[in-house]
Amino acid sequence: MYEVLRHYNYWLYVLLLALGLYGMMSKANLMKKLIAMGIFQWAIIYYFISIGAKKGGNIPIFPEHGIENLTIRAQDYVNPLPHVLMLTAIVVGVATTGIALALLIKIWQNWNTLEEDEILQRMRNE
Amino acid sequence: MNEQLPALVVVIPLLFSFLIYLMGFIGRRMPYFLLLISSALTSLSSWKLLIRVIKEGPISYHIGGWEPPWGIEYRVDHLNGVLAFVVSLVAFLVILSFRERVEKEVEVSRWSQLYALFSLQLCGLLGITVTGDVFNLYVLLEIASFSAYAMVAIGKKGGEFSAFRYLIFGTIGACCYLLGVGHLYILTGSLNMVDIVNLLKNLPDSSALRVGLCLLVIGIGVKMALFPLHTWLPDAYSQAPSTVSAFLAPLATKVAGYVLLRILFWMFKPTFPSEKVLLEILGWLALIGAFFFSFMAIVQRELRRAFCYLLLSEISLLGMGVSSGNLDGLRGAILHLINDVFMMGCLFTSICAFIHLFENEGLKDLEGLGLKNPWVSLGFLIGGLSVIGIPPFGGFFSKWYLILGTIEGKKWHLLVGLLVSSLINAVLIFKILERIYLKGTHLELSKRLPFCFSVSLLSFSISLLLLGGLASTIVKKVIDPWIFSLGGF
Amino acid sequence: MDLQSGRVLMEKESLLPLLALLTPLFGSFLILLFGERRRNLREGTTLVISSLTLLWTFLMLEALNEGHILKKDLFELFPGLWFSFRADPFGMVFLLLSTSLWLIISIYSIGYMRSLNEHAQTRFFFCFSLAILGAIGVALSSNLASLFVFYEILTVSTFFLVAHEESPEALRAGRKYLVYLLSGASLGLFGIVYLWARYGNLSFLEGGFIGEVKDWALTFVFLVTFLGFGTKAALMPFHEWLPSAMIAPTPVSALLHAVAVVKAGVFTCLRILYFVFGAKDFPLGFLLGLSLFVSFTVIGANLLAIREDNLKRRLAFSTVNNLAVILLGGLMLSKEALKGAILHIPFHGFMKITLFMCAGSIYVSSKRERVSELDGIGHSMPFTMGAFTVAALGLCGIPPLCGFLSKWYLCLGTLEASKKWFLLVWLTSAFLDAVYFLPIVYRAFFKGKKDPMIKEAPLSMTIPLLLTALGSVVLGLFPNFLFHLLDLVKMVISSFWGV
């Protein structure tokens, strides 16, 4: 049991994931959905980054000189790959948010509301 | 040039999309022709790529010269070679047809933007197809999805709301896929597909691995619109401009289907412990989906929505083929993938043409079309007959293998589902054919269909016929080599 | 020509089977091209291609005389399964029926469509050619997969013919048609794919390739396949599409009943029984049960026919009866019965097409469709009703018409197979035939008076039906006339049982 509870980084991301999902599914306001989606995406980013962390790990940057004298052991350095991947994922998240905001602007222009049920109502009336 | 083919296939549409957008400031008509050239060049490259793969076997291309597993690898074997070609060819045919339609449906200021989005979408789709790196796949998946969200929103009033819902749902899917990738990365330490396959062999079974697999499948299931993750599709594809659905419907979900095949059969073999259960569940979901979608298709009043449900039921057939898990079921699934791209391209382009002629989408307005415009009717006829599985068109041959797969795998519930859903689809198709050919018309047809439209429709019809005749060749030259390379069959 | 049975037949490559298929295919597109604007050219095309196809058929018959079965493999449908054709004796019987009657019905339908000034004639002739293409393909196919391809082409092309009238009833009939036939075909497809999965072979072989049918799974598959293709053969309770399809114009009904669709169904069932399953060693009692099931159709259809007042619907039920007769003969598993069954395919074809053509002529001349309206019409249309009488007597089994010959063999075969009780079925069926055919003849000639308003239908319609009526007589007296039907049938029998 302790083994499972110990990995608090996973618990954090599960919590955020659940929050995000809940928000996306149950909130009627589109803006709130968008915010929840953001939470969902950031949760994943935390997850990835957290798995690269190591106890006592150093920043994975080598000095310009004197590298020949160093013994490089992987466990001394934080894993840089997840960070790199998450840079991409952050960009993707930003782009998604951008598109979503643009869509929300257009929805506001067309229907004058951001509540999902009201929009559906107005669409049906058309 | 030859060595760069795997990258060319992705880079050409990417570069052209920027070019198209910039050219939009200079001329009004230019962007379209650039798009046409872009897709033509891409089709040519993918054809040459396919030929090379058939002759030499799987090709590996290292982006930037970095060797895998540190660098990103583009790996083209028979499965994605043929899919890349099919996707780019159908994209070309659809693009060929839709200029006048786009100009009618979208405001002038947005033409070049829309064309750029098409090219970007093509880039994303082809990238998903040829890439050999799971994270790169996520990136390209998102590129394709973004363009799709934007494309759906350009156009009439209902579009942007459906696009927003599509965005929310699609992002959940992509994030699930990313989570799955994360699990795989934690367990294997690699992102390269070939590498992962080797590393998985030595891994003990663990719940982390199982969850990873499930997350991958759920994520792809959203993109592929498997039951019950399909809810975004009918709204998105029917509210989008007709040209956009003609482009998205045949291509986007099928590429996701390819990814599913890659994950379930190439990376994780069916011998993987929990995969059998997963396949079983997929089969049942596909079965329910097939029935549900076929019925929904019949009761629709709008033509495009009906075909969206038809598309969904075809995807369920794919799911059933996957679930059989044996050699012939896999053959059927892949052949069905290839056929379905053409079938849906044919049907949705016909709808495009129909809307172009009559400015109306209702089922009732199809009456008497057969006499007035032979090409559009031909598109509906041949596409429809192929969907039901009437020989000599392509759909029959994939249906044969799908049935064979269920019989050999003793999955009788899937067999019943296959046969019955085809019959229910037949109700829809013949309802439409009845309206087209067997009803007199009071419609006055003032417009002529643009020449390119007719050419495109005719090409689709001929290709469906060719797919039937060439089915055996396709199986022997392309599908079987891939399946046997999987081992274990 | 003198065909000898009992000789070993050798296969030989030839383009003729391909020609027999390509001619209607290209012809149908030519018809589409000529359209309504060049109707005479269009009609001419129909006549030319039907004559040409008949020519090819006779050439293939000639080859059989020299001891050669002509074949042609086209390309692989699936790896290991070829799209191939073979003019074997059994197929030739069906082929001769289809192509000879195509020529006759083409002449008739040109007259019919023009007299009634029907709409959508181009679509009609186009679908007609495609339907015949389907029938020829079914006859010539050398394996179940190729057969299935043409089977479905037949269904789709005839759908447009059935719903030709475009009225609500016609559309309803068309939908019913599709539901029955496509569902049946799905069952048949399941059977075919199962056989492919289990045996890796679908080619027709005299004596079948399955050997003993020991397990119930295979029996079940056989049953499902037989019933699936039996829907096209209008087995009860899957027969309802046939009477409903009578709403179509008469040339279509004649085509459906005498030539294409129903005979393709019966042909396929017999192919599966004899050339795939080898017709032996079924589990105990299974064939008996199936024979009883089919006998039910034989009697039931005739009983229903008596109740029908609409002439074409009555003829439809008579067809259901005759098809079941053919199947029952096949299920007897004896030489004479099979002889009778196979002979009945073309014989019934000739007689039934005569009856339908008469019904069409009556409609064209007098707009009458019901038996109750037919009083005295024999005086106004003596030739037409004369032909009707001849054909009706033939179907009742009166010598010297061909119907007697096939029924005679069937009865012989029943005795030969020691299934005496089925004689009752034949006799009851023949009796009931008389009950619903003879009153029509009686009414036409012996009741009512000549109506001066009604005259014979145009020559283009009357001559074909006189020809087929004459054919019924001639084939009864000289069963080998022109088509060498008896010899062909003997070849089929000898390939199964030795000489």
Side-chain angles (χ1 to χ4, degrees), chain B residues 243-277:
Chain B
T243 46
V244 167
S245 19
F247 193 86
L248 286 177
L251 304 177
T253 42
K254 306 303 176 305
V255 170
Y258 147 76
V259 177
L260 190 70
L261 284 173
R262 179 73 69 195
I263 295 174
L264 283 179
F265 291 100
W266 200 77
M267 281 183 9
F268 294 80
K269 306 292 200 271
T271 44
F272 184 71
S274 42
E275 180 152 331
K276 282 217 176 39
V277 180

Side-chain angles (χ1 to χ4, degrees), chain C residues 14-49:
Chain C
S14 159
L15 274 182
L16 272 177
L18 191 60
L19 276 176
L21 288 168
L22 288 178
T23 315
L25 184 63
F26 282 130
S28 58
F29 284 107
L30 275 179
I31 290 174
L32 209 56
L33 213 63
F34 289 138
E36 191 63 30
R37 268 178 272 155
R38 282 170 261 192
R39 341 158 75 196
N40 293 322
L41 266 181
R42 180 188 69 197
E43 258 67 301
T45 313
T46 308
L47 293 172
V48 164
I49 52 177

